[in-house]
Every structure is written in structure tokens, then in C-alpha cells.
Amino acid sequence: VENSAVEYKTRIPSFPSFDKMAGVFAYESSEVDWCEDNYKHSENVVEYFNTMSSFIFFVISPIMLYLLHPYAKERNLAVHLVWIMMVFVGLFSMYFHMTLSFMGQMLDELSILWVLALCYSLWFPRRHFPSFIKDRKSFCHMVLIITVISTLSSFVKPTANAYALNCFAIHILYSLFVELRSCTDERVLRLAWASIGLWVLAISCWISDRIGCSFWQKLDFCYLHGIWHILIVVATAYASTLVAYLDASLEIPYSLPDLQYWPRNNWSIGLPYIVLKSTTKTQKRC
């Protein structure tokens, strides 16, 4: 009887213990550790500069929400979700670098995945839809399903998120390149090159922090990942405005979209945004 009881217990599926589940929230439970010295400036913050640099998300996001509102109101208010999600990216980035916890890592990476999925759903050109997709609503449903599957898979196999991020990013870049091949507007092309330049600088900082840490430690300059935060937010502002402008030119051409820069347009530097010279209210109707 005792042997039968033991055999029965061994067949009962085991569930993660509370301690194991709580462990994903523990400080330094993530396998990722950036170049910055841990606990250098605070006993409670693992990577101080990486944490503080994430505040840039809370500065740029509200400004972009305000600047893109006329375009979002005319095109689709869901556009605002991109920069609302960017606030969450900043929040989760702060949490991750403050704790270096596994849960912080997952929230940080997955929030970026959802931002890319939103951009993909909103701005992927209609003429490049797969043949089995009839409209943007169906396309959004397909992207949603893929993103949800990738999100759930990430908790089972964290590297799955990296593959999803790369697939989204590479396809977006390819589609953008295809769209710009026929563009002759110098201002649009200048914005495109600025977006690419910022992205290359940001990625260079990210990679250098990962693989060149020993070199930067010798120079006592371990802040490249924090600089990545700043550059990638500005790069996102440039790139999202670029694809939104191309989208407006295709989907709402009557609005006569134009590119401007905040705070001063004649600087051609700052935060780009879209101005609509015409709207549905001024559109001539027969």
C-alpha cells in the first residue's frame, strides 16, 4: 500500500513552488548584466545610470503624443497607442535596470515587441499585404495572434522574443526601403537618413556595451547602454514620423501632409512631426 501511495504521488504533476515563482522577481535573477557597475551609486538600484536614462521615455513620449495628435485624429486614434506603449517601455526598462530581475527583463523586451507589433499593424503598406489578407482589420488580427503567441512563448523560452523582435524589425526596415526607392522628396529622404543614422548609432552603443565591456571598463566609461536608451527613443520618434508620413501620403492624401520639426521648423533638427494642410472639414465635396 505504501509503495502504491508513493507511486501515486510521483505521478501527480508538480507545480512551481512559490519560492521559484517569486524568484523571477528577485534582484539579479536575470542572466543579462550590462557593463555598468552594479550598486555603484545606490544600494537599491543595480544599474543607476541605465535606470535614470530611461526617464527619456517619459519626456519624449508626451511630446510626440501632442505633436502627432492632428494626424492621429484624422487617420486613426490608435496611433496614440504607439507612444502610450513607449511610456510602458520606459517604465519596464527602469524596473529591469533597477533590479536586473528576470521579470523585469521579460517586461522590458515584451513591451518593445508590442510597440513594433503596433507599428506593423498601423503602418504596414496595404499593397504589401499577403494575398490571403483582405483588409487592415484582418491584417491586425493576424499580427495580434502572432504577437500573443510570441509573448506566451517567451515565458517558456525567453530567446523566442528575440527572434520575434528581429523578424518584425527586419521586415519593417525592408518594407521602408521598398517604399523609399520611389521617393524624390528631399525632406523625406533627409528624415529617412537621419532615422537610419540614429538607429545605427543606437545599435552600435548597444552592441559595444555587450561585447566591448572590458575595453570601456578600462576607460571607466560604462554608460553606453544608457546612451542607447536616449538614442533609440529619438530614433523611434524619427522613424515613426517617417512611416506615418508615408502612410498619410497613401491613405489620406487629401490632407496634404507635410513634415515639420519641433521646437523650430527652420532648424530642421529636433522632433519631427506631421502637419496636415487640409482635413476632412476643408476637403471639397461634390
Side-chain angles (χ1 to χ4, degrees), residues 122-188:
L122 289 167
W123 292 317
F124 189 74
R126 193 188 300 268
R127 61 172 173 265
H128 297 312
F129 283 177
S131 57
F132 59 88
I133 297 295
K134 295 181 179 179
D135 51 31
R136 188 165 296 276
K137 185 177 180 180
S138 301
F139 182 74
C140 289
H141 288 161
M142 181 187 73
V143 174
L144 176 63
I145 292 169
I146 294 171
T147 309
V148 169
I149 293 172
S150 299
T151 300
L152 296 175
S153 301
S154 295
F155 286 95
V156 179
K157 191 174 181 61
T159 52
N161 187 45
Y163 290 112
L165 283 173
N166 288 327
C167 288
F168 271 131
I170 291 171
H171 198 213
I172 288 172
L173 287 172
Y174 169 76
S175 303
L176 188 59
F177 173 75
V178 170
E179 289 297 309
L180 288 171
R181 278 193 307 180
S182 58
C183 179
T184 57
D185 190 323
E186 287 296 326
R187 209 165 195 206
V188 175

Side-chain angles (χ1 to χ4, degrees), residues 204-264:
S204 298
C205 288
W206 191 93
I207 294 173
S208 187
D209 188 271
R210 290 300 294 164
I211 67 176
C213 183
S214 58
F215 170 76
W216 295 108
Q217 283 178 336
K218 290 176 183 177
L219 297 179
D220 195 25
F221 189 81
C222 304
Y223 309 114
L224 286 180
H225 191 78
I227 296 173
W228 140 267
H229 286 158
I230 297 167
L231 289 173
I232 201 62
V233 175
V234 180
T236 302
Y238 273 63
S240 63
T241 302
L242 174 63
V243 295
Y245 173 81
L246 295 173
D247 172 79
S249 300
L250 290 171
E251 300 291 342
I252 48 172
Y254 61 82
S255 65
L256 304 178
D258 190 22
L259 290 171
Q260 292 192 8
Y261 289 83
W262 181 89
R264 296 197 59 166

Side-chain angles (χ1 to χ4, degrees), residues 41-218:
H41 302 286
S42 172
E43 295 179 353
N44 301 314
V45 179
V46 181
E47 296 176 341
Y48 187 82
F49 187 78
N50 286 348
T51 301
M52 292 299 106
S53 63
S54 299
F55 270 108
I56 190 68
F57 289 87
F58 305 127
V59 176
I60 300 296
S61 297
I63 295 174
M64 292 305 297
L65 279 168
Y66 171 74
L67 293 175
L68 291 176
H69 181 65
Y71 160 72
K73 189 167 62 173
E74 188 69 23
R75 179 69 175 94
N76 191 335
L77 287 174
V79 168
H80 286 321
L81 289 175
V82 173
W83 285 100
I84 291 172
M85 274 302 301
M86 284 294 285
V87 173
F88 284 96
V89 173
L91 182 66
F92 295 144
S93 176
M94 287 185 67
Y95 171 59
F96 172 45
H97 292 291
M98 185 176 70
T99 63
L100 285 188
S101 65
F102 176 78
M103 182 55 70
Q105 178 191 347
M106 286 293 96
L107 291 173
D108 183 27
E109 293 178 355
L110 289 172
S111 60
I112 297 171
L113 173 65
W114 280 89
V115 168
L116 286 174
L118 275 169
C119 294
Y120 205 68
S121 300
L122 289 167
W123 292 317
F124 189 74
R126 193 188 300 268
R127 61 172 173 265
H128 297 312
F129 283 177
S131 57
F132 59 88
I133 297 295
K134 295 181 179 179
D135 51 31
R136 188 165 296 276
K137 185 177 180 180
S138 301
F139 182 74
C140 289
H141 288 161
M142 181 187 73
V143 174
L144 176 63
I145 292 169
I146 294 171
T147 309
V148 169
I149 293 172
S150 299
T151 300
L152 296 175
S153 301
S154 295
F155 286 95
V156 179
K157 191 174 181 61
T159 52
N161 187 45
Y163 290 112
L165 283 173
N166 288 327
C167 288
F168 271 131
I170 291 171
H171 198 213
I172 288 172
L173 287 172
Y174 169 76
S175 303
L176 188 59
F177 173 75
V178 170
E179 289 297 309
L180 288 171
R181 278 193 307 180
S182 58
C183 179
T184 57
D185 190 323
E186 287 296 326
R187 209 165 195 206
V188 175
L189 293 173
R190 189 162 59 243
L191 179 61
W193 281 113
S195 303
I196 294 168
L198 285 165
W199 183 80
V200 169
L201 279 174
I203 292 296
S204 298
C205 288
W206 191 93
I207 294 173
S208 187
D209 188 271
R210 290 300 294 164
I211 67 176
C213 183
S214 58
F215 170 76
W216 295 108
Q217 283 178 336
K218 290 176 183 177

